[in-house]
C-alpha cells in the first residue's frame, strides 16, 4: 500500500517522504521533528504518479502544496 509522510506542510522547509506501508517506520525515521500528516492508499499513489508526469501539477493539502 502506498504511503507518504508530509511534514511542516505550511512552511518553506516542508518535507515529504514516500514509500510503502511496510516501510512506514523507516520513512518516519527520515523526517524531522515537525508536525506531519500520514497519507495512505492508492489515491496518494495516483497523485504522485501524476506529479511525476507533470512537474507543474501541485499536490496539496487544502491550499498548501505538499509535493
Amino acid at each position: 500500500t502506498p504511503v507518504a509522510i508530509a511534514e511542516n506542510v505550511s512552511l518553506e522547509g516542508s518535507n515529504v517522504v514516500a514509500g510503502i506501508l511496510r516501510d512506514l517506520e523507516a520513512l518516519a525515521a527520515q523526517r524531522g521533528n515537525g508536525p506531519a500528516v500520514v497519507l495512505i492508499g492508492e489515491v496518494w499513489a495516483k497523485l504522485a504518479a501524476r506529479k511525476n508526469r507533470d512537474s507543474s501539477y501541485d499536490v496539496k493539502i487544502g491550499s498548501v502544496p505538499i509535493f
Side-chain angles (χ1 to χ4, degrees), residues 28-54:
Q30 295 177 35
R31 65 176 209 79
N33 295 321
V37 175
V38 179
L39 307 164
I40 300 173
E42 294 301 320
V43 171
W44 167 249
K46 289 177 182 180
L47 288 172
R50 182 169 177 183
K51 177 68 173 182
N52 286 337
R53 288 191 311 271
D54 179 1

Side-chain angles (χ1 to χ4, degrees), residues 9-51:
V9 296
S10 63
L11 303 175
E12 286 186 28
S14 65
N15 180 38
V16 177
V17 292
I20 56 176
L21 189 56
R22 72 171 172 228
D23 298 330
L24 184 59
E25 184 177 358
L27 293 170
Q30 295 177 35
R31 65 176 209 79
N33 295 321
V37 175
V38 179
L39 307 164
I40 300 173
E42 294 301 320
V43 171
W44 167 249
K46 289 177 182 180
L47 288 172
R50 182 169 177 183
K51 177 68 173 182

